[in-house]
Amino acid sequence: MKTIKYILGILFLLNISCCVNQKKKDEEQIKETVTKYWKAVKENDLQSYNNLIYDSENYPGVTASELFFLNKHYNAINSKEKFLNNIKIKDTTDIIPSVKMKYVQYTYKKENDSNNLKKPLIITLMFYKQMGFDKIYYPGILQNHIGWDK
């Protein structure tokens, strides 16, 4: 009887260990994808950029325009290389609460907007495990970017 309890205990601990290792692997995959994303933005590489976006062939205008905007403002919004050093992965859900997703979000406020008239630029990279953490799930990554650069 004691042997069965020990075996069950060991199996339980192995199960927890596997879950922790999988979570760590998932987070490493997301961080790697985010790093590749910012490299594609910096280099203005549309093909690499599109390879990181799930179903990007159905949104060629969206991906091209967002890459253009981010590349144009890359030096301003990433002046201290903070994007690569500040990858914080958070949990969220889709419209259906049972659909678990992860995201990395950056908020950039213009420095020369002392009156706080401009909304901050929000960059959100969404990930859905079923599509793979090597792909960004939503092609629309930018928020508040219309008129932001003026």
Side-chain angles (χ1 to χ4, degrees):
M1 194 63 148
K2 284 185 177 184
T3 308
I4 293 174
K5 285 182 181 180
Y6 286 127
I7 291 173
L8 288 175
I10 290 171
L11 289 175
F12 179 73
L13 291 174
L14 286 174
N15 189 26
I16 290 173
S17 176
C18 289
C19 291
V20 169
N21 286 339
Q22 186 59 48
K23 182 177 180 183
K24 197 173 191 177
K25 287 178 187 176
D26 292 348
E27 288 182 359
E28 288 301 316
Q29 180 67 57
I30 290 172
K31 287 179 180 181
E32 183 180 323
T33 303
V34 171
T35 301
K36 287 179 183 178
Y37 176 82
W38 286 114
K39 182 180 181 202
V41 168
K42 184 177 184 178
E43 295 173 356
N44 200 25
D45 185 349
L46 184 59
Q47 183 176 355
S48 293
Y49 186 90
N50 282 338
N51 286 340
L52 295 170
I53 309 289
Y54 172 74
D55 213 15
S56 64
E57 62 275 1
N58 292 327
Y59 306 97
V62 172
T63 59
S65 66
E66 291 201 352
L67 174 62
F68 174 79
F69 179 89
L70 288 167
N71 177 264
K72 180 180 174 185
H73 299 288
Y74 183 83
N75 289 333
I77 60 178
N78 196 27
S79 60
K80 297 177 179 84
E81 296 289 326
K82 62 183 174 189
F83 290 157
L84 295 178
N85 297 328
N86 195 19
I87 300 174
K88 294 181 181 169
I89 302 165
K90 299 177 183 174
D91 294 322
T92 189
T93 58
D94 200 5
I95 296 171
I96 302 168
S98 64
V99 177
K100 307 292 184 203
M101 301 179 80
K102 296 193 177 287
Y103 71 99
V104 175
Q105 188 172 66
Y106 302 98
T107 303
Y108 179 77
K109 186 145 180 63
K110 274 199 155 183
E111 292 176 8
N112 58 356
D113 186 20
S114 60
N115 295 330
N116 296 323
L117 296 175
K118 297 277 184 191
K119 291 182 178 179
L121 176 66
I122 299 171
I123 302 164
T124 307
L125 308 172
M126 298 291 295
F127 297 91
Y128 183 45
K129 186 169 186 151
Q130 280 69 4
M131 300 307 153
F133 288 138
D134 61 335
K135 298 280 186 188
I136 297 166
Y137 189 60
Y138 292 133
I141 290 166
L142 297 173
Q143 296 172 12
N144 301 331
H145 67 289
I146 309 254
W148 180 84
D149 57 346
K150 294 179 180 162

